[in-house]
Amino acid sequence: MGKSRLEAFSDGVLAIITTIMVLEMKVPRGSDFVALAPLLPVFLSHVLSFVYVGIYWNNHHHLRHAARHVAGGVLWANLNPLFWLSLLPFATGWMGENHFAALPCAAYGFVLLMAAIAYSTCCKAASSPSRARTPCSSALSVRTGRASSRRSST
């Protein structure tokens, strides 16, 4: 399968995540800057999460740019970080609405940690010298001479 469908799906999921986050922000009842003050924690949470989603989108783009094609294994591997990132709007809202209380911040950190582990596992598998033995890397053909020579020798 071509990589364009994977890229389009992932881009769509990340776009929906950012849309949900901004829709969670409530409009203030007042028309002055004082009315915005209670929304500052929610806004700061949104900015932080938007930066994280942007980093993942950018890294995902560069990772998929290196791929020639994808197979079923990489499709499943790609869902793992997307799942964890899909929890980000909930964790962002909970953290912002509770003014950075300990438990919501811990949940936010846990979601980001799991997304990082999921993403780095796929990246490491795709770039390791023994990548033919891992599900993610065997499905992701990286533009190196070694990946091409393995397919032609079998």
Side-chain angles (χ1 to χ4, degrees):
M1 171 170 60
K3 63 182 181 175
S4 61
R5 292 198 58 192
L6 175 69
E7 289 173 325
F9 175 77
S10 299
D11 287 349
V13 169
L14 294 174
I16 290 169
I17 289 169
T18 58
T19 302
I20 291 171
M21 285 190 312
V22 77
L23 290 176
E24 289 293 316
M25 294 173 51
K26 304 300 180 216
V27 177
R29 294 197 176 257
S31 61
D32 55 359
F33 288 115
V34 175
L36 293 175
L39 298 177
L40 189 59
V42 175
F43 178 73
L44 292 175
S45 298
H46 172 75
V47 169
L48 181 64
S49 294
F50 188 85
V51 168
Y52 273 112
V53 171
I55 289 169
Y56 276 101
W57 175 78
N58 193 6
N59 290 342
H60 190 270
H61 167 75
H62 289 293
L63 178 66
R64 299 303 172 227
H65 182 68
R68 289 187 177 160
H69 71 279
V70 293
V74 79
L75 295 176
W76 287 106
N78 187 62
L79 287 175
N80 193 6
L82 292 177
F83 166 76
W84 291 106
L85 289 174
S86 74
L87 297 176
L88 203 55
F90 170 77
T92 300
W94 193 25
M95 184 173 70
E97 289 292 332
N98 292 290
H99 300 261
F100 304 102
L103 185 57
C105 284
Y108 184 83
F110 178 74
V111 168
L112 291 178
L113 175 67
M114 295 307 294
I117 290 170
Y119 184 79
S120 67
T121 300
C122 210
C123 289
K124 286 179 184 178
S127 64
S128 71
S130 60
R131 67 179 169 268
R133 288 182 252 147
T134 62
C136 181
S137 61
S138 64
L140 177 65
S141 298
V142 180
R143 290 183 182 161
T144 63
R146 293 171 21 205
S148 303
S149 63
R150 275 194 195 131
R151 279 195 310 264
S152 61
S153 65
T154 55

